[in-house]
Amino acid sequence: MLFKNSVYFMALMGSSITLNAQTAQPMADTTKLNEVMVQENRLQLPFSKQNRNIWIIDSEKIKSLPARSVSELLSYVTGIDVRQRGPGGTQADISIDGGTFDETLVLLNGVKITDPQTGHNMMNLPITMDDIDHIEVLRGSASRVYGINALTGAINIVTRSPQKTGISANVFAGSSFKHRDGAGGIYLNNGQHLSGSLALDQSSHLFSIGRESGNGYRYNTAFNNQKLYYQGKIKLGKEDQLDVMAGYTYNKFGANGFYAAPNDKESEETVKTAIASLAYTTKITEHWTMVPRISYRNNVDNYLFNKVTLAYPPNHHVSNVLDAELNNTIQTEFGTFGLGLETRTEYIKSSSLGKRNRSNSGFFGEYKFEPFDRLSVNVGAYTNYNSDYGWQAFPGLDIGYNIYGNWRLYGNLGTGQRLPTYTDLYYKGPSNEGNDQLHPEKSKYAEAGIKFNNARFSANASYFTRRISDFIDWTKENITDRYQPQNYAQVNTTGLTLSGDYRWTAPSGSIGILNGFRLGAAYTYLDPTIKTTISTANISRYALRSLKNQLNGTLTTSFCKVMDLTIAARYQDRITYKDYTVIDAKLAYKQPHYNLYLDAGNLFNAQFIEAEAIPMPGSWYTLGFKLNY
């Protein structure tokens, strides 16, 4: 089946190249991929000099892809498994390289978005697609860099910094033009985004507001999502800068089949999330930069099992997370040191989880040096104390060597930890029960690879092996039992990744219809093996749903100086789900101050499931208009 779909996939991409080579406009003049500075909190390196398996979704790619949400955008990235319970990012779980959804750390401008209640709320973000500058995806255990919960990797979403004062608007509407399953009428959705930028001599400000709603592609899946976001950068003197970020999102949706099918047909969930952060960058000396930062996240999650009869009381959860960091970068003639302190406090008040709190304090130590020409080494560790689990230490090592020109060999060793959520520990419900005796998950990771980067072409080939011990999964012995989380198994995963991205722009002044194109393709193979440690756990919820084969490809062509056409294809093969191929397309007509675009999702009406037993919608089409002034 993989071979059959791979041939079909490659044939489609090849035919697209042939077709569009006769008809395309100069690609946007954007920052080259290998010049993007990866925004780690202490040691920052450009993409081309990284010794890790990091991939960048740059602004040019974000604009060209037929995606309306961050979740949909990430589905085009190799190694990332996006399991949506509806279109438009209604509710989605994100994992990397065969892990589970709570083993991946999500950050917004370096601020951690972990949710102590449940990883299901991690993608409840206050930003719209128009706010994003680029996304950094770091694959592999990353506790040395980001601390706890970066067990299989981290995703850092970096918003744009306004360079000009202006205003922009994006309005769109879409439909499947088919009758909704069990609900009557046809599926419809619409959205509006409005953002304003203010660029001054000593400060810049970004403000955005967004709304998207839909009547549901099947019974009781209607949704209403609203977002509000502010970002400010204020220069204080010659060297210092104050960074302010605040956001709020309101997300209400029908949750038919989302968590407890088939009995939750009338369920409904409302999630409200507020985040804020304040950071101050100061130069202590010419070689010493200090960045203190505080951040706060409040999340209110209200779940109704039956919104019609109210036969069950609502599950109401209010969680608060307060995080304080002090990051330092010190440059010396012997290399660069990164030192950091972090303290984190998590509170929750819940109808089903009770009143709980825990704290975590940690110390980061990193050292980057070049012992001789063309060889770079990053070594460090994160040591933390958790009020529930005591002391832990997580070392890591990255090595890179430029073998010739733009070719670079790299290898890394990493460790990680994932703390059980409060839902894992304390939940009590009719079909699920928590386990307060759980231990944290731990991982060991090793990877080796080769990279190539220049202004037009980026490529990567790598192989990794990862061991997760004390893996937590919701299990039960018999079909009639309640699910309960256990430190169920040791999960060993090996994986292979191949990826490439090439762009071409027609020479200035050339005559022709085709003005440029960009072609990207990537393949990930995962081979997980599970060694169970509990003999009575016959039924598992998450361990056997890993990706096995994933093939992604995108082609964007620019032609006639005003048109862009993108075709994107993705093949997914999971262990326990039927494999599928989805083809999407986007056609955009571009002018200096406005764009008109048409998105076509799932062109060939593939029938597939990403999470639980929820069928994803077939083909749907979105027409949109963007205005920039």
Side-chain angles (χ1 to χ4, degrees):
M1 180 61 73
L2 171 61
F3 177 76
K4 175 183 174 183
N5 282 278
S6 300
V7 171
Y8 171 66
F9 179 95
M10 292 303 183
L12 175 69
M13 298 307 295
S15 65
S16 300
I17 296 173
T18 303
L19 173 66
N20 293 301
Q22 302 175 37
T23 60
Q25 125 147 38
M27 306 295 285
D29 184 16
T30 60
T31 302
K32 302 304 181 187
L33 181 63
N34 58 356
E35 297 173 0
V36 173
M37 189 67 69
V38 178
Q39 302 295 308
E40 295 179 3
N41 288 331
R42 289 164 300 279
L43 303 184
Q44 298 188 4
L45 291 170
F47 173 71
S48 60
K49 294 185 178 181
Q50 286 287 333
N51 298 328
R52 299 293 303 265
N53 190 349
I54 295 179
W55 200 249
I56 305 293
I57 315 173
D58 57 56
S59 58
E60 178 186 296
K61 192 111 180 173
I62 292 171
K63 293 174 183 176
S64 68
L65 286 170
R68 298 195 315 272
S69 69
V70 178
S71 301
E72 291 181 350
L73 184 63
L74 290 172
S75 68
Y76 298 106
V77 180
T78 186
I80 293 186
D81 187 8
V82 179
R83 304 183 193 182
Q84 298 187 92
R85 290 173 170 83
T90 300
Q91 198 283 321
D93 297 335
I94 308 293
S95 61
I96 294 178
D97 285 334
T100 62
F101 59 88
D102 203 41
E103 294 174 345
T104 296
L105 181 64
V106 174
L107 305 100
L108 181 59
N109 294 318
V111 175
K112 300 170 183 128
I113 311 294
T114 53
D115 189 327
Q117 176 207 334
T118 172
H120 288 309
N121 293 332
M122 198 160 50
M123 296 304 294
N124 209 48
L125 301 170
I127 55 172
T128 70
M129 290 280 291
D130 300 322
D131 300 327
I132 303 173
D133 180 78
H134 67 276
I135 299 177
E136 305 161 356
V137 179
L138 188 157
R139 296 168 67 177
S141 301
S143 285
R144 189 204 86 208
V145 179
Y146 293 117
I148 58 174
N149 286 3
L151 191 81
T152 58
I155 300 170
N156 186 24
I157 303 164
V158 181
T159 55
R160 59 188 178 90
S161 297
Q163 304 299 314
K164 297 180 180 180
T165 297
I167 190 169
S168 64
N170 180 13
V171 295
F172 56 87
S175 176
S176 63
F177 299 105
K178 296 177 182 177
H179 287 279
R180 296 184 295 156
D181 181 21
I186 63 171
Y187 168 68
L188 299 168
N189 74 294
N190 65 87
Q192 306 84 35
H193 301 163
L194 179 67
S195 65
S197 302
L198 181 63
L200 305 174
D201 290 340
Q202 297 299 314
S203 66
S204 68
H205 306 269
L206 171 66
F207 177 83
S208 74
I209 185 170
R211 175 189 170 275
E212 183 173 356
S213 62
N215 60 2
Y217 67 102
R218 56 191 182 91
Y219 180 77
N220 190 29
T221 56
F223 69 95
N224 182 3
N225 190 301
Q226 301 173 32
K227 303 174 184 290
L228 189 66
Y229 181 72
Y230 167 76
Q231 172 186 293
K233 297 179 181 293
I234 304 166
K235 293 182 180 179
L236 303 173
K238 292 183 179 180
E239 302 287 348
D240 296 0
Q241 178 172 295
L242 186 68
D243 289 89
V244 183
M245 182 177 71
Y248 176 79
T249 181
Y250 171 92
N251 190 17
K252 183 177 182 179
F253 52 90
N256 175 15
F258 280 24
Y259 310 113
N263 299 318
D264 60 347
K265 187 176 181 180
E266 301 292 347
S267 66
E268 181 181 83
E269 188 167 12
T270 304
V271 185
K272 296 177 282 188
T273 306
I275 63 171
S277 73
L278 182 66
Y280 179 65
T281 303
T282 182
K283 281 273 194 180
I284 304 299
T285 69
E286 182 182 354
H287 304 291
W288 179 8
T289 301
M290 178 184 290
V291 185
R293 176 170 60 194
I294 58 172
S295 61
Y296 171 74
R297 181 178 184 271
N298 169 264
N299 193 79
V300 180
D301 183 353
N302 193 72
Y303 177 76
L304 292 173
F305 185 77
N306 191 313
K307 64 180 181 181
V308 177
T309 66
L310 299 178
Y312 296 94
N315 276 333
H316 187 75
H317 319 277
V318 180
S319 59
N320 294 280
V321 178
L322 181 64
D323 196 297
E325 304 170 63
L326 179 62
N327 292 305
N328 298 268
T329 304
I330 303 171
Q331 297 176 336
T332 73
E333 58 181 313
F334 309 108
T336 303
F337 292 87
L339 302 173
L341 298 172
E342 176 189 40
T343 180
R344 180 184 183 88
T345 304
E346 302 172 341
Y347 299 91
I348 191 167
K349 182 179 179 181
S350 165
S351 60
S352 59
L353 306 174
K355 294 182 180 180
R356 313 284 178 181
N357 68 83
R358 65 188 180 194
S359 61
N360 196 86
S361 299
F363 172 77
F364 296 90
E366 299 178 82
Y367 176 43
K368 178 179 74 72
F369 64 102
E370 298 181 359
F372 55 86
D373 189 35
R374 297 192 291 177
L375 177 67
S376 64
V377 179
N378 294 27
V379 62
Y382 173 67
T383 302
N384 80 293
Y385 175 80
N386 184 271
S387 58
D388 289 349
Y389 302 107
W391 288 97
Q392 304 285 340
F394 303 96
L397 170 69
D398 308 338
I399 298 177
Y401 181 71
N402 278 78
I403 54 176
Y404 177 77
N406 295 312
W407 290 95
R408 185 177 186 86
L409 289 173
Y410 69 94
N412 54 79
L413 301 172
T415 52
Q417 181 188 56
R418 198 274 281 194
L419 298 181
T421 64
Y422 287 130
T423 298
D424 292 331
L425 294 166
Y426 306 116
Y427 184 80
K428 292 188 182 299
S431 56
N432 300 283
E433 181 180 3
N435 180 1
D436 61 5
Q437 301 302 307
L438 291 174
H439 303 294
E441 298 176 338
K442 296 179 183 177
S443 69
K444 295 180 180 179
Y445 182 89
E447 181 183 35
I450 185 170
K451 295 180 179 183
F452 179 87
N453 288 292
N454 65 17
R456 289 190 176 182
F457 182 57
S458 297
N460 178 79
S462 65
Y463 175 85
F464 79 86
T465 179
R466 182 186 66 222
R467 172 179 291 180
I468 298 177
S469 56
D470 287 328
F471 178 81
I472 297 172
D473 199 359
W474 291 73
T475 66
K476 57 185 178 180
E477 184 175 2
N478 302 301
I479 194 68
T480 56
D481 295 340
R482 288 193 293 182
Y483 276 108
Q484 184 177 48
Q486 307 282 351
N487 290 112
Y488 162 73
Q490 175 181 292
V491 180
N492 301 319
T493 304
T494 58
L496 172 70
T497 294
L498 303 171
S499 60
D501 186 275
Y502 178 78
R503 68 182 78 193
W504 174 82
T505 303
S508 178
S510 62
I511 299 175
I513 296 176
L514 178 65
N515 309 121
F517 71 84
R518 181 172 180 177
L519 177 65
Y523 171 68
T524 292
Y525 169 76
L526 301 173
D527 184 19
T529 60
I530 300 167
K531 183 192 242 180
T532 60
T533 55
I534 299 177
S535 59
T536 57
N538 296 324
I539 302 172
S540 163
R541 176 170 287 179
Y542 298 118
L544 298 177
R545 297 185 181 181
S546 166
L547 276 174
K548 192 169 182 66
N549 293 283
Q550 184 186 53
L551 185 62
N552 295 334
T554 58
L555 171 68
T556 299
T557 56
S558 297
F559 54 97
C560 300
K561 297 184 178 181
V562 294
M563 301 293 291
D564 279 359
L565 174 63
T566 296
I567 296 177
R570 48 196 169 96
Y571 169 77
Q572 306 270 60
D573 174 26
R574 293 188 181 90
I575 293 176
T576 54
Y577 287 119
K578 184 178 181 295
D579 62 333
Y580 59 89
T581 300
V582 175
I583 311 294
D584 305 320
K586 181 174 185 175
L587 180 65
Y589 173 74
K590 303 191 302 183
Q591 289 294 315
H593 294 296
Y594 69 89
N595 292 349
L596 185 66
Y597 63 91
L598 174 65
D599 289 352
N602 195 359
L603 273 172
F604 296 100
N605 200 37
Q607 304 299 304
F608 63 99
I609 292 173
E610 291 184 341
E612 303 302 329
I614 304 168
M616 292 295 288
S619 304
W620 76 90
Y621 307 89
T622 303
L623 182 65
F625 178 77
K626 288 186 178 181
L627 176 68
N628 298 285
Y629 179 74

